[in-house]
Amino acid sequence: MFRFLKKSVVSFSIARICSRNMASQTIGKKVELHVHLDGSIRPSTIWELGKKHGIDIPGNNPQELAIALALKEPHGLQKFLESFKIFLPTISGDLDAIERVAYEFCEDAAKENIIYTEARYSPHLLTPCADTKNKTEISPRDVVKAVNAGLKRGCADYNVQVRTILCCMRHAPEWSRDILQFCQEFKSDGVVGIDIAGDENLCDNGNTPTQKKHIQVFQEAKALGIHRTVHAGENGSAETVAEAVDKMHAERIGHGYHTLDDEKLYDELKKKDIHFEVCPISSHLTGSVSADWTKHPAIRFAADDANFSINTDDTVVTGGPLTADYNVCLNKMGLTQRQLIKSNFNAARSCFLPEKEKEELLQELVDFYGTQD
C-alpha cells in the first residue's frame, strides 16, 4: 500500500500545503523521534515539585526557573547536562510525579501538533538519587510502569500517540540487561525500542569491557526483534557512529553530526537508509556543531536527501518546544518547508511502530499534506 512512499519517489504538493493557509514559518502535523522525557518537564512542574520535596532550585518563580535552566549560548555537552542535576531530583523516586510528567508530556505534544512521538528515558536515573529528599524505595520497573500509566491517560485525553524508548547509559553497563528485559516485558505497553546515551568517549571502539557489555545487549536486542537507536556522533567521532551501526546494529542514529567527518561512512549510511535524529538547537548549545548555523550538518543531510528528522532533545535546556527548532531550520539554516515536511515523512517511515500502525501514521500525513507522484 505504501510502496509509493519509499524515499526515492516521495514528493509533496506544495500548492496543497499553501491552500491550507499554513503560516509561512510553521509546519502542520509533526512526528518527533528524539526527545528525552526526563529532559522535557514543564518548569512549572519542576518548581512545584521542588518546593514539595524541599529541594533548592534557582529563581523566585517558575518563569525565573525556566530562564535559569535554559542555555542561551553554546557551552559544551557537559554544561548542557548540568541542568539535569538541578531538576532531575524533583521527580526521582516519586512515582506520582513521574506519572504526572508523562501525562503532561502528552498535552504538550498535542499543543505542538505532534501526532506521534517516541519519548526516551533511563528508568534507573529516575529511581531515588543521593541528592533528593524523596527516599521512597522504588525500582526501575516501577518507573516504567508509572511512565506507561501517565502516557496511557495522556494519549487518551489529548488524542496523541506516544511510545517509549528505554535508555542504557554508557557509564553503567550493569543497567543494560535490565533495559533489555524491560523492552521485552513492556512491549505490549508502548515500549518500542532501546537506546544508549552518555559520554561517547567511553566507547573506545568497543574495546573496553564496559562497552563490550553494551554491544552484547544490543546484539541480543536485534536477535529479539527489538528496535535500536544509538546516541553517536554528537560530541563523539565518526568512529562511534560506525560502531553503532556495525556492532550495535543501530537502525537510527541519535544526532550523528560527525558522520560527515567520514565521507565513506556517510555514503554507507545513506545507502542503508539509516535515519539521523537531528536536534538543531540542542546541537548548537552543546557545541557539537559549528556555531555558524549556515554550516549545520542538517543542511547537508537535506541537500543529499538523506533520511533525517527534526527533534528537540531536551526542552528544559533548549528553552523551547519543537516549533522553535523548526523556526531555526527555516530562518537560520535556510531549510525549506518542503524539506521539513519531508523530514516528517522520514520520521514516520523510520519510527519503531509495527508496520500496520506505521502505515496508518503515514496515511495521516498523506491526508494532511498530500502527495504527488
Side-chain angles (χ1 to χ4, degrees):
M1 175 181 179
F2 277 89
R3 291 176 183 172
F4 69 95
L5 284 171
K6 293 293 184 182
K7 176 181 171 184
S8 60
V9 297
V10 173
S11 59
F12 307 97
S13 173
I14 302 302
R16 179 170 177 179
I17 294 167
C18 294
S19 71
R20 293 181 179 273
N21 296 316
M22 295 172 61
S24 61
Q25 299 301 314
T26 61
I27 307 297
K29 293 187 175 183
K30 307 177 188 72
V31 177
E32 183 173 21
L33 299 182
H34 191 116
V35 54
H36 292 262
L37 178 66
D38 49 353
S40 303
I41 311 170
R42 293 175 180 173
S44 58
T45 299
I46 296 171
W47 177 266
E48 180 183 329
L49 294 173
K51 295 302 181 183
K52 172 185 174 182
H53 295 308
I55 297 171
D56 185 25
I57 50 178
N60 296 307
N61 52 56
Q63 293 74 29
E64 290 185 6
L65 172 64
I67 293 171
L69 293 176
L71 293 184
K72 308 301 184 296
E73 300 293 337
H75 288 286
L77 182 58
Q78 292 308 312
K79 178 66 174 179
F80 185 91
L81 296 176
E82 281 182 10
S83 289
F84 282 80
K85 298 177 182 178
I86 298 173
F87 65 80
L88 211 55
T90 66
I91 67 169
S92 297
D94 185 340
L95 291 179
D96 290 337
I98 292 168
E99 181 174 342
R100 171 183 172 177
V101 166
Y103 179 83
E104 292 176 349
F105 179 88
C106 297
E107 182 180 10
D108 294 341
K111 288 179 179 177
E112 281 291 290
N113 212 359
I114 297 170
I115 58 174
Y116 176 79
T117 182
E118 293 172 0
R120 63 189 70 192
Y121 66 100
S122 166
H124 297 78
L125 291 181
L126 295 180
T127 56
C129 55
D131 52 353
T132 179
K133 296 182 179 180
N134 182 30
K135 297 296 185 181
T136 304
E137 289 298 323
I138 67 172
S139 69
R141 179 178 280 102
D142 294 330
V143 170
V144 177
K145 290 180 178 179
V147 170
N148 291 347
L151 293 180
K152 183 177 181 179
R153 291 193 299 112
C155 288
D157 287 352
Y158 299 107
N159 192 30
V160 62
Q161 289 192 76
V162 182
R163 302 294 185 269
T164 54
I165 295 171
L166 302 183
C167 289
C168 305
M169 299 302 298
R170 285 197 170 91
H171 72 278
E174 66 274 14
W175 296 349
S176 291
R177 195 150 293 280
D178 286 346
I179 296 299
L180 182 65
Q181 181 180 341
F182 296 154
C183 287
Q184 294 175 270
E185 181 179 346
F186 295 103
K187 184 176 181 179
S188 62
D189 292 320
V191 176
V192 294
I194 189 170
D195 180 25
I196 184 168
D199 187 354
E200 292 179 49
N201 295 316
L202 296 176
C203 290
D204 192 29
N205 198 28
N207 293 323
T208 64
T210 294
Q211 186 62 5
K212 286 179 179 178
K213 292 179 181 178
H214 291 311
I215 290 173
Q216 183 179 8
V217 164
F218 272 74
Q219 290 173 344
E220 291 181 31
K222 180 187 178 184
L224 292 167
I226 297 169
H227 287 295
R228 303 156 309 281
T229 181
V230 172
H231 279 71
E234 181 183 14
N235 69 324
S237 67
E239 283 76 14
T240 65
V241 179
E243 177 184 276
V245 175
D246 296 339
K247 296 183 179 181
M248 305 178 80
H249 307 292
E251 302 161 84
R252 301 187 335 222
I253 297 295
H255 303 286
Y257 316 117
H258 289 283
T259 305
L260 295 179
D261 296 341
D262 185 333
E263 288 292 335
K264 182 179 178 181
L265 174 65
Y266 178 50
D267 288 341
E268 290 175 358
L269 266 56
K270 284 191 296 179
K271 289 176 182 177
K272 292 180 179 180
D273 201 29
I274 299 295
H275 183 87
F276 295 97
E277 303 162 354
V278 174
C279 306
I281 295 176
S282 168
S283 65
H284 178 73
L285 294 174
T286 60
S288 299
V289 300
S290 170
D292 183 349
W293 283 107
T294 65
K295 296 179 180 179
H296 196 282
I299 299 171
R300 174 78 183 276
F301 294 160
D304 293 345
D305 198 25
N307 184 4
F308 77 99
S309 59
I310 300 300
N311 310 274
T312 54
D313 201 10
D314 301 285
T315 60
V316 176
V317 190
T318 62
L322 187 56
T323 299
D325 285 274
Y326 275 69
N327 285 337
V328 162
C329 289
L330 289 164
N331 300 326
K332 294 187 177 182
M333 293 161 54
L335 298 189
T336 66
Q337 280 196 347
R338 184 190 188 103
Q339 289 170 326
L340 292 182
I341 292 167
K342 187 167 185 179
S343 75
N344 281 282
F345 277 82
N346 291 341
R349 286 191 302 108
S350 303
C351 78
F352 290 160
L353 282 173
E355 286 304 312
K356 185 177 184 299
E357 294 176 52
K358 184 182 293 189
E359 288 185 359
E360 292 171 352
L361 176 62
L362 283 162
Q363 186 61 60
E364 185 170 356
L365 292 177
V366 169
D367 291 344
F368 185 81
Y369 290 113
T371 65
Q372 60 181 18
D373 295 330

